[in-house]
Amino acid sequence: MAEIFNFILVNPIINILIAIYKTLLILHIPYPLGFSIIVLTVVIRLILYPLTHSQLKASKKMQELSPHLSNLKDKHKGDAKKLQAETMRLYKEHGVNPAAGCVPLIIQIPIIWGLYSVLNKVVAVGSVNVISDINKVVYFDFLKLAGKWDTFFFGIPLGQNPSHLFQAMPLILLVPVLTAVFQFMQSKMMMPAKDKVKNIVPDKKDSAKAGQVKKKDDFASVFQSQSLYIFPLMIGFFSYNFPIGLSLYWNTFSVFGIIQQYQISGWGGLKDIWTRRKK
């Protein structure tokens, strides 16, 4: 299974990365390995762009229907069959497919994991054995590495962890901090702004009951609220203990995701933070 995964995903990604690296060397671009990781990440994001776009649009539609779904749960409490029928009718009415956001994500996961596996191997190429292993899977002889390559990016060793460099380079702590901040921004932007939620009227067919609908935090909403803070902290912690090269990939991935999210839904829930500060 591992060999098939490497053949289909890992090896092609390694070849693309080496090709980018060799091109940057020819162009005399400084810190070619670091910039190769950035360019490769952007290329992968561009390939995944249509899938991610579809996933984000489906997620936005589901969020817009959230008040309507809450109203249906309150209206048909105790009647699971009726609730299911009305929910499907609501989805059909608004042209929403609940599975539309899952399929693109499932397709993306192997690609992202393949990219992660490549970078995890690449940033450790201080070893001749690792370079030999990489040369075994490149498709063309001109792509083979003649020797050790420079694993530094603006003076920072891509194969080292911030936890190991902290005493000698205290500012290296900015790497996991920025990783957590970018992740938080992206997660917050995926949530609808409060003013937009207020403008959504649940169900006008039964206004008397609609006015009595209470805001209830079910398991999903509580999990979403907690993960908004927990997940970025987890990613920041991993970034603190993982090689800098992986953080470079993840931050590039996140910044691209923030740009794409902004194209679909603007600043989303991130706008609430700025509004709160103005008050």
Side-chain angles (χ1 to χ4, degrees):
M1 189 68 180
E3 291 182 3
I4 296 174
F5 180 75
N6 289 337
F7 180 78
I8 295 175
L9 282 175
V10 176
N11 294 350
I13 292 175
I14 287 178
N15 279 267
I16 295 172
L17 178 66
I18 301 299
I20 294 171
Y21 174 76
K22 294 277 188 175
T23 302
L24 295 182
L25 276 181
I26 294 172
L27 296 174
H28 301 289
I29 302 296
Y31 313 113
L33 180 57
F35 282 113
S36 296
I37 292 173
I38 293 174
V39 173
L40 175 64
T41 307
V42 172
V43 169
I44 296 295
R45 287 294 314 214
L46 288 174
I47 293 173
L48 294 175
Y49 187 91
L51 293 173
T52 309
H53 189 79
S54 173
Q55 176 197 344
L56 294 177
K57 284 188 73 175
S59 177
K60 183 185 176 184
K61 283 185 177 180
M62 287 297 293
Q63 287 175 347
E64 289 173 348
L65 289 182
S66 182
H68 300 272
L69 292 171
S70 296
N71 184 47
L72 286 178
K73 287 178 183 179
D74 187 80
K75 188 175 180 180
H76 302 292
K77 190 187 299 180
D79 190 346
K81 191 174 181 180
K82 182 67 174 177
L83 175 61
Q84 185 179 9
E86 288 298 308
T87 300
M88 296 309 296
R89 182 188 64 79
L90 184 67
Y91 286 153
K92 188 176 180 181
E93 222 174 68
H94 290 81
V96 174
N97 181 1
C102 300
V103 176
L105 184 61
I106 293 171
I107 296 173
Q108 290 178 58
I109 288 174
I111 299 174
I112 295 172
W113 182 250
L115 180 58
Y116 171 83
S117 301
V118 168
L119 295 178
N120 199 30
K121 181 183 293 185
V122 164
V123 294
V125 292
S127 166
V128 175
N129 292 333
V130 176
I131 294 176
S132 176
D133 290 340
I134 291 177
N135 285 338
K136 288 178 183 177
V137 300
V138 296
Y139 299 145
F140 307 102
D141 288 339
F142 67 85
L143 289 179
K144 290 184 177 180
L145 299 170
K148 295 181 182 180
W149 52 10
D150 185 7
T151 58
F152 282 79
F153 188 64
F154 291 99
I156 302 174
L158 295 172
Q160 291 293 320
N161 307 344
S163 58
H164 295 156
L165 298 172
F166 179 67
Q167 289 186 347
M169 304 172 62
L171 287 178
I172 202 68
L173 192 62
L174 288 174
V175 173
V177 169
L178 285 175
T179 303
V181 168
F182 288 146
Q183 187 61 53
F184 173 79
M185 288 178 64
Q186 188 175 5
S187 300
K188 188 68 174 174
M189 287 173 68
M190 293 176 71
M191 300 176 68
K194 288 182 179 179
D195 57 343
K196 288 188 177 181
V197 174
K198 288 177 182 178
N199 290 333
I200 300 175
V201 180
D203 191 351
K204 292 183 179 179
K205 292 181 179 179
D206 194 346
S207 57
K209 285 189 177 181
Q212 296 173 358
V213 175
K214 298 179 180 180
K215 294 181 180 178
K216 297 180 180 180
D217 289 328
D218 55 10
F219 176 79
S221 62
V222 172
F223 177 79
Q224 185 183 40
S225 178
Q226 292 180 345
S227 63
L228 175 64
Y229 300 98
I230 295 175
F231 188 61
L233 289 175
M234 286 177 56
I235 295 297
F237 176 76
F238 292 149
S239 176
Y240 182 70
N241 293 283
F242 282 5
I244 300 290
L246 295 178
S247 296
L248 184 61
Y249 141 70
W250 189 264
N251 288 344
T252 305
F253 205 83
S254 296
V255 169
F256 196 101
I258 289 171
I259 294 171
Q260 190 172 10
Q261 184 68 45
Y262 178 78
Q263 292 177 334
I264 293 175
S265 59
W267 292 113
L270 200 60
K271 188 179 177 182
D272 297 332
I273 298 177
W274 299 332
T275 305
R276 204 178 302 138
R277 283 185 177 180
K278 289 180 181 179
K279 290 181 180 179

